[in-house]
Structure formats: structure tokens, C-alpha cells
Amino acid sequence: DIEMTQSPSSLSAAVGDRGTITCRASQRISTYLNWYQQKPGKAPKLLINAASNLQSGVPSRFSGSGSGTDFTLTISSLQPEDFATYYCQQSYSTPYTFGQGTKLEI
Amino acid sequence: EVQLVESGGGLVQPGGSLRLSCVASGFTISNNYMNWVRQAPGKGLEWVSVIYNDGSTRYADSVKGRFTISRDNSRNTLYLQMNSLRTEDTAVYYCVRGSSWYDYWGQGALVTVSS
């Protein structure tokens, strides 16, 4: 199975800061990388698919980049509603594995 | 509007069985890949099983031989039959649509395996 490792595991930031989360795959996965946001007690929400494709309705302050083994989720200016847990997921080969999550806190 | 609504969760003893249901609306499940993804309390996300549009299925190693995914096209409903449950199966189980990415998720059904 492909192992996905996110860093950091938690991130403290303030409203208006730039937030950056990285995800590393244990083998090359091209751009088969998705990002999800999860708020407490809620289901995850798809933010970005194929490494950089922003889902409809997701604010443009979110962006994704990377290919191969290293990927980045960037939030250009953190808003109060962005404080949540973020997961990356590879869809290069089954089973489609997730990273362990990054909790973004104020 | 696409909606996925799970039901059937609850408390079950180790070794017991439970069946989860997921009623879909706004799309046809037989034309899509449908998955179950679970999340243990305070933990991350784990893919459990998928049923492809051709009806074939796949399972995570952790549930293979114990869980069965199926669907009823006439009811537009997805199922997960869970047998020989273990304490480590305790989790919120999400019904999820998607092939290479998961675009719609249900609200989740809590399954607790405990004596």
C-alpha cells in the first residue's frame, strides 16, 4: 500500500496568516492526489482533486500543487471557517490511502 | 441535489453482525463507484470497500472475509454487511460516492463494538 505522510500534524496560526500543509507519498503518484477538509462532527469535504483542481464552490484562497511524491495545500489568508482538519488522499493505486491528517488551529 | 443518508449503526458485541444502509438521491448509484470509508474515534480516515459500476467489489485487508458491500439498484441503496465484528471496527462509517476522488459523503453512521 502507498503510505501518505502529512506535515505538520498540527498547525497553530492566526486569521490572515498563510497556511501550508505538505503531503508526501511513499512512491510516485503523478498528480493522483486529493485534499479534504473535515470539521468536528462533520463528514469530510472535497477541496481539491488531481493535486491542483479546485472544486466548485471552494474559495480561491485554497490552492494545491505538486506531483510525483511531494504535494502542498496552501491557504493564502486564513479565515475563521478554515480552522479544521485536512487530509490528503492518493488515488494512484488501490487501496486509496489517506494521510494521518493535519489539524489547523487558532 | 445529491444526498447520501446512512442508517443501521449501533452498539454490537464482539463477534456480532450489523448491516449499514445508505439511501442515495439525486443520482443513480449503479452508474457510480460507491465506497464505505470509516473513521475510528479521534483517528483518521480509512477506506473500507468499493462497489464498481459493473458490480465488482474490493475490500481493505482489515475487513476482507468479514464485510460485504452490495447495492439494490431498485431502491438506489448501498449496503455494508458487517460480520464477526471486532472492537477495532468501532468507527463512524461514511457512505461515499467517487472513483478517483470522493465528491459526496453521507453524514456517517456510528458503529460501536463493545461488550
Side-chain angles (χ1 to χ4, degrees):
Chain A
D1 298 359
I2 298 176
E3 185 175 350
M4 306 301 293
T5 303
Q6 291 180 231
S7 60
S9 295
S10 64
L11 176 62
S12 293
V15 173
D17 284 354
R18 182 182 186 90
T20 302
I21 299 169
T22 64
C23 179
R24 175 164 288 177
S26 61
Q27 66 183 71
R28 295 183 66 84
I29 60 171
S30 184
T31 57
Y32 291 89
L33 192 283
N34 310 309
W35 289 100
Y36 300 86
Q37 176 194 65
Q38 186 179 33
K39 296 182 178 179
K42 300 294 186 182
K45 172 187 174 183
L46 177 66
L47 297 177
I48 289 170
N49 72 280
S52 61
N53 184 38
L54 199 67
Q55 291 298 290
S56 175
V58 175
S60 59
R61 62 181 180 272
F62 289 89
S63 65
S65 64
S67 67
T69 60
D70 294 310
F71 301 86
T72 300
L73 173 69
T74 302
I75 310 170
S76 60
S77 177
L78 286 164
Q79 299 303 301
E81 60 268 29
D82 300 337
F83 292 93
T85 299
Y86 293 84
Y87 294 93
C88 63
Q89 176 209 24
Q90 65 82 18
S91 56
Y92 181 81
S93 69
T94 56
Y96 292 164
T97 44
F98 293 88
Q100 81 280 14
T102 295
K103 187 173 184 179
L104 183 52
E105 303 173 293
I106 298 175
Chain B
E1 180 192 8
V2 170
Q3 277 197 318
L4 296 164
V5 180
E6 300 99 335
S7 61
L11 174 64
V12 61
Q13 292 188 337
S17 297
L18 211 56
R19 188 178 81 157
L20 301 181
S21 300
C22 170
V23 178
S25 56
F27 72 102
T28 302
I29 64 168
S30 60
N31 293 338
N32 287 269
Y33 292 12
M34 295 299 299
N35 303 266
W36 290 97
V37 174
R38 69 183 179 183
Q39 186 170 36
K43 302 297 184 182
L45 301 166
E46 180 189 17
W47 171 81
V48 172
S49 182
V50 61
I51 183 165
Y52 299 112
N53 50 1
D54 68 359
S56 60
T57 60
R58 293 199 64 171
Y59 300 91
D61 287 345
S62 57
V63 307
K64 200 173 294 182
R66 300 188 297 123
F67 289 12
T68 302
I69 190 171
S70 63
R71 70 189 183 206
D72 182 335
N73 295 339
S74 65
R75 298 176 184 270
N76 213 33
T77 300
L78 180 73
Y79 301 101
L80 186 67
Q81 177 67 44
M82 303 182 292
N83 298 332
S84 303
L85 282 161
R86 306 167 180 168
T87 55
E88 56 264 35
D89 296 318
T90 293
V92 173
Y93 285 74
Y94 294 102
C95 168
V96 184
R97 187 183 85 166
S99 54
S100 293
W101 54 86
Y102 300 155
D103 57 357
Y104 287 97
W105 298 62
Q107 86 285 356
L110 176 61
V111 173
T112 303
V113 184
S114 174
S115 55

Coordinates of all heavy atoms in Angstrom, one line a residue, chain A residues 34 36 38 42-44 46 49 87 89 91 94-96 98, chain B residues 37 39 43-45 47 58 94 99-103 105-106:
Chain A
N34 N -5.6 14.1 -3.7 CA -6.8 14.9 -3.4 C -6.7 15.4 -2.0 O -6.0 14.8 -1.1 CB -8.1 14.0 -3.5 CG -8.1 13.2 -4.8 OD1 -8.0 13.8 -5.8 ND2 -8.3 11.9 -4.7
Y36 N -9.0 17.0 1.4 CA -10.3 17.1 2.0 C -10.1 17.9 3.3 O -9.1 17.9 4.0 CB -10.8 15.7 2.4 CG -11.0 14.8 1.3 CD1 -9.9 14.0 0.8 CD2 -12.2 14.6 0.6 CE1 -10.0 13.1 -0.2 CE2 -12.4 13.8 -0.4 CZ -11.3 13.0 -0.9 OH -11.4 12.2 -1.9
Q38 N -12.2 18.6 7.0 CA -13.1 18.0 7.9 C -13.3 18.9 9.2 O -12.3 19.1 9.8 CB -12.8 16.6 8.3 CG -13.9 15.9 9.2 CD -13.6 14.5 9.5 OE1 -12.5 14.1 9.8 NE2 -14.7 13.6 9.6
K42 N -18.5 16.5 11.5 CA -19.0 16.5 10.1 C -18.2 15.6 9.2 O -17.1 15.1 9.5 CB -18.9 17.9 9.6 CG -19.6 19.0 10.4 CD -21.1 18.8 10.3 CE -21.9 19.9 10.9 NZ -23.4 19.7 10.9
A43 N -18.8 15.3 8.1 CA -18.1 14.4 7.1 C -17.1 15.3 6.4 O -17.2 16.5 6.3 CB -19.1 13.9 6.0
P44 N -16.0 14.6 5.9 CA -15.0 15.3 5.1 C -15.7 16.0 3.8 O -16.7 15.5 3.3 CB -14.0 14.2 4.7 CG -14.2 13.2 5.8 CD -15.7 13.2 6.1
L46 N -14.6 17.5 0.0 CA -13.5 17.5 -1.1 C -13.2 18.9 -1.4 O -14.1 19.7 -1.8 CB -14.0 16.7 -2.3 CG -13.1 16.7 -3.5 CD1 -11.8 16.0 -3.2 CD2 -13.8 16.1 -4.7
N49 N -9.0 18.1 -6.2 CA -8.7 16.8 -6.8 C -7.6 17.0 -7.8 O -7.3 18.1 -8.3 CB -9.9 16.2 -7.4 CG -10.4 16.8 -8.7 OD1 -11.0 17.8 -8.7 ND2 -10.0 16.2 -9.8
Y87 N -7.0 16.4 5.2 CA -6.4 15.1 4.9 C -6.1 15.1 3.4 O -6.8 15.6 2.5 CB -7.5 14.0 5.1 CG -7.8 13.8 6.5 CD1 -8.9 14.4 7.1 CD2 -7.1 12.9 7.3 CE1 -9.3 14.2 8.4 CE2 -7.5 12.6 8.6 CZ -8.5 13.3 9.1 OH -8.9 13.0 10.5
Q89 N -5.1 12.4 0.2 CA -5.5 11.0 -0.2 C -4.9 10.8 -1.6 O -5.0 11.6 -2.5 CB -7.0 10.9 -0.3 CG -7.5 9.5 -0.8 CD -8.8 9.6 -1.5 OE1 -9.2 10.6 -2.1 NE2 -9.6 8.5 -1.6
S91 N -5.0 8.6 -5.1 CA -5.9 7.8 -5.9 C -5.1 7.2 -7.1 O -5.6 7.0 -8.1 CB -7.1 8.6 -6.3 OG -6.7 9.7 -7.0
T94 N -5.1 1.3 -5.7 CA -5.9 0.8 -4.5 C -5.1 0.0 -3.6 O -4.1 -0.7 -4.0 CB -7.1 0.0 -5.0 OG1 -6.6 -1.1 -5.8 CG2 -8.0 0.9 -5.9
P95 N -5.3 0.1 -2.3 CA -6.4 0.9 -1.6 C -6.0 2.4 -1.6 O -4.8 2.7 -1.4 CB -6.4 0.3 -0.2 CG -5.0 -0.2 0.0 CD -4.6 -0.7 -1.3
Y96 N -7.0 3.2 -1.8 CA -6.7 4.7 -1.8 C -6.5 5.1 -0.4 O -7.4 5.2 0.4 CB -7.9 5.4 -2.5 CG -8.1 5.2 -4.0 CD1 -9.2 5.5 -4.6 CD2 -7.0 4.6 -4.7 CE1 -9.4 5.3 -5.9 CE2 -7.2 4.4 -6.1 CZ -8.4 4.7 -6.7 OH -8.6 4.5 -8.0
F98 N -5.2 7.5 2.9 CA -5.2 8.9 3.4 C -4.0 9.2 4.2 O -3.4 8.3 4.8 CB -6.4 9.1 4.2 CG -7.7 9.0 3.5 CD1 -8.4 7.8 3.4 CD2 -8.4 10.2 3.0 CE1 -9.6 7.7 2.7 CE2 -9.6 10.1 2.3 CZ -10.2 8.9 2.2
Chain B
V37 N -16.1 4.4 3.8 CA -14.9 4.9 4.4 C -15.2 5.0 5.9 O -16.3 5.5 6.3 CB -14.5 6.2 3.8 CG1 -13.3 6.8 4.6 CG2 -14.2 6.1 2.4
Q39 N -14.0 6.0 10.1 CA -13.1 6.8 10.9 C -13.3 6.5 12.4 O -14.4 6.7 13.0 CB -13.5 8.3 10.7 CG -12.5 9.3 11.4 CD -12.8 10.7 11.0 OE1 -13.9 11.1 10.8 NE2 -11.7 11.5 10.9
K43 N -9.5 9.5 15.2 CA -8.5 9.0 14.3 C -8.7 9.5 12.9 O -9.7 10.3 12.7 CB -8.4 7.4 14.3 CG -8.2 6.8 15.7 CD -6.8 7.2 16.2 CE -6.5 6.5 17.5 NZ -5.2 6.9 18.1
G44 N -7.9 9.0 12.0 CA -8.0 9.4 10.6 C -9.0 8.6 9.8 O -9.7 7.8 10.3
L45 N -8.9 8.8 8.5 CA -9.9 8.1 7.6 C -9.3 6.9 7.0 O -8.1 6.8 6.6 CB -10.2 9.1 6.4 CG -10.8 10.4 6.8 CD1 -10.8 11.4 5.7 CD2 -12.3 10.2 7.3
W47 N -10.3 3.9 4.1 CA -11.1 3.3 3.1 C -11.4 1.8 3.5 O -10.5 1.1 3.8 CB -10.5 3.4 1.7 CG -11.2 2.6 0.7 CD1 -12.3 3.0 0.0 CD2 -10.9 1.3 0.2 NE1 -12.7 2.0 -0.9 CE2 -11.9 0.9 -0.8 CE3 -9.9 0.3 0.5 CZ2 -11.9 -0.3 -1.4 CZ3 -9.9 -0.9 -0.1 CH2 -10.9 -1.2 -1.1
R58 N -14.3 -4.6 -4.0 CA -12.9 -4.7 -3.4 C -13.1 -4.3 -1.9 O -13.9 -3.6 -1.5 CB -11.9 -3.9 -4.1 CG -11.6 -4.3 -5.5 CD -10.3 -3.7 -6.0 NE -9.2 -4.2 -5.3 CZ -7.9 -4.0 -5.6 NH1 -7.7 -3.3 -6.7 NH2 -6.9 -4.5 -4.9
Y94 N -18.9 6.1 6.8 CA -19.4 7.0 5.8 C -19.7 6.3 4.5 O -18.8 5.5 4.0 CB -18.4 8.2 5.5 CG -18.2 9.1 6.7 CD1 -17.0 9.0 7.4 CD2 -19.1 10.1 7.0 CE1 -16.8 9.9 8.5 CE2 -18.8 11.0 8.0 CZ -17.7 10.9 8.8 OH -17.4 11.7 9.8
S99 N -14.9 7.8 -7.7 CA -13.9 6.8 -8.2 C -12.5 7.3 -7.9 O -11.9 6.8 -6.9 CB -14.1 6.7 -9.8 OG -14.0 8.0 -10.3
S100 N -11.9 8.3 -8.5 CA -10.6 8.8 -8.2 C -10.6 9.8 -7.1 O -9.5 10.1 -6.6 CB -9.9 9.3 -9.5 OG -9.6 8.3 -10.4
W101 N -11.7 10.4 -6.9 CA -11.9 11.3 -5.7 C -13.3 11.1 -5.2 O -14.2 10.7 -5.9 CB -11.5 12.7 -6.1 CG -12.3 13.3 -7.2 CD1 -13.5 13.8 -7.2 CD2 -11.8 13.3 -8.6 NE1 -13.9 14.2 -8.5 CE2 -12.8 13.9 -9.4 CE3 -10.6 12.9 -9.2 CZ2 -12.7 14.1 -10.7 CZ3 -10.5 13.1 -10.6 CH2 -11.5 13.7 -11.3
Y102 N -13.5 11.5 -3.9 CA -14.7 11.3 -3.3 C -15.5 12.6 -3.1 O -15.2 13.4 -2.3 CB -14.5 10.6 -1.9 CG -13.8 9.3 -1.9 CD1 -13.0 8.9 -0.9 CD2 -13.8 8.5 -3.1 CE1 -12.4 7.6 -0.9 CE2 -13.2 7.3 -3.1 CZ -12.4 6.8 -2.0 OH -11.8 5.6 -2.0
D103 N -16.5 12.8 -4.0 CA -17.1 14.1 -4.0 C -18.3 14.3 -3.2 O -18.7 15.4 -2.8 CB -17.4 14.5 -5.5 CG -18.3 13.5 -6.2 OD1 -18.7 12.4 -5.6 OD2 -18.6 13.8 -7.4
W105 N -20.3 12.7 0.4 CA -20.3 11.9 1.6 C -21.6 12.0 2.4 O -22.2 13.0 2.4 CB -19.2 12.4 2.5 CG -17.8 12.4 2.0 CD1 -17.3 13.1 0.9 CD2 -16.7 11.7 2.5 NE1 -16.0 12.8 0.7 CE2 -15.5 12.0 1.7 CE3 -16.5 10.8 3.6 CZ2 -14.3 11.4 1.9 CZ3 -15.2 10.3 3.9 CH2 -14.1 10.6 3.0
G106 N -22.0 10.8 3.0 CA -23.1 10.9 3.9 C -22.7 11.5 5.2 O -21.5 11.9 5.4

